[in-house]
Amino acid sequence: MGITLTEAAAEHIRKFLDNRGAGIGIRLGVRTSGCSGMAYVLEFADEAEQDDQVFEDHGVKVLVDPKSLLYLDGTELDYTREGLNEGFKFNNPNVKDACGCGESFTV
């Protein structure tokens, strides 16, 4: 299945990479955190690691390590604005439950 981006997310990432002046894409992963167990990690990627899975959508590369891909496969990354709030939204079909604050999830 892989990882996909909406056009809004891809455009936002492209702007960040252009402003930064470096990077081949973004790295998406998970880490143990929060009251539900797992939290998303999103950072710039300057180079690919040997075991990274690389997905490209709307001209943006998303790098994911194999362990994180178990939890992220099929995820769509969106960028939304709701009132004064804006940010990335993870549409992850693997999530079974999430904490009330939205910071962590369980698969």
Side-chain angles (χ1 to χ4, degrees):
M1 290 174 65
I3 308 296
T4 59
L5 302 171
T6 64
E7 181 58 43
E11 181 179 332
H12 196 74
I13 293 165
R14 278 193 300 271
K15 285 180 186 176
F16 270 118
L17 288 170
D18 288 346
N19 287 340
R20 187 171 181 254
I24 62 169
I26 59 166
R27 180 174 305 284
L28 178 59
V30 296
R31 64 178 165 84
T32 303
S33 178
C35 51
S36 289
M38 305 293 284
Y40 296 106
V41 178
L42 188 61
E43 58 191 11
F44 292 112
D46 291 326
E47 59 185 40
E49 300 294 330
Q50 184 176 351
D51 58 348
D52 280 342
Q53 296 291 313
V54 180
F55 304 95
E56 188 165 346
D57 200 8
H58 299 289
V60 174
K61 290 183 182 177
V62 180
L63 294 80
V64 183
D65 67 272
K67 290 179 183 177
S68 293
L69 188 57
L70 294 171
Y71 303 102
L72 297 171
D73 197 24
T75 297
E76 176 192 61
L77 184 58
D78 192 8
Y79 191 82
T80 61
R81 292 184 180 163
E82 297 174 12
L84 298 176
N85 297 319
E86 62 181 281
F88 288 104
K89 180 179 178 185
F90 300 87
N91 299 313
N92 185 343
N94 304 303
V95 171
K96 302 293 184 232
D97 195 19
C99 68
C101 66
E103 292 297 317
S104 63
F105 64 95
T106 302
V107 293

